[in-house]
Amino acid sequence: MNPITTIAHDTWREDALCRQTDPEIFHPEVGGTAVPAKQTCAACPVRRACLDYAIDTRQQWGIWGGVGQKELRRLIRARQAEAA
Ligand code: SF4
């Protein structure tokens, strides 16, 4: 990843709604609920940028952009297939 991309990726974090919440809700235990995290993401102004970042950097754990691990892995695979 080049430095310009990294800077652009990081600016959205300043407006991330999860900065005002308990970070633990974005990493629920197995069998735990992701609902509080997804509700926070639904109201977050940088949801799209967050999800793009998670896909670009292949984040596979936690809730990103309102998307859980299973869906995030599917989106990562789809983007990889597009790039191939
Ligand atoms: S979309 Fe969710 S995880 Fe991403 S920055 Fe917003 S609140 Fe945080």
Side-chain angles (χ1 to χ4, degrees):
M1 191 177 308
N2 72 46
I4 293 172
T5 302
T6 302
I7 290 169
H9 273 165
D10 288 345
T11 58
W12 59 267
R13 291 177 189 270
E14 295 171 15
D15 297 318
L17 201 53
C18 51
R19 291 178 61 164
Q20 303 170 28
T21 63
D22 178 1
E24 292 297 318
I25 67 171
F26 294 88
H27 299 277
E29 302 272 335
V30 173
T33 180
V35 170
K38 290 183 177 182
Q39 287 176 334
T40 302
C41 294
C44 181
V46 293
R47 181 177 177 177
R48 185 68 222 185
C50 171
L51 183 56
D52 281 343
Y53 172 84
I55 294 169
D56 287 348
T57 59
R58 301 178 187 172
Q59 301 292 325
Q60 298 193 19
W61 305 106
I63 309 297
W64 293 80
V67 172
Q69 296 169 12
K70 186 175 180 181
E71 176 66 4
L72 187 53
R73 289 178 187 148
R74 188 191 67 74
L75 292 170
I76 290 168
R77 286 193 302 272
R79 182 152 308 168
Q80 288 172 326
E82 288 173 8

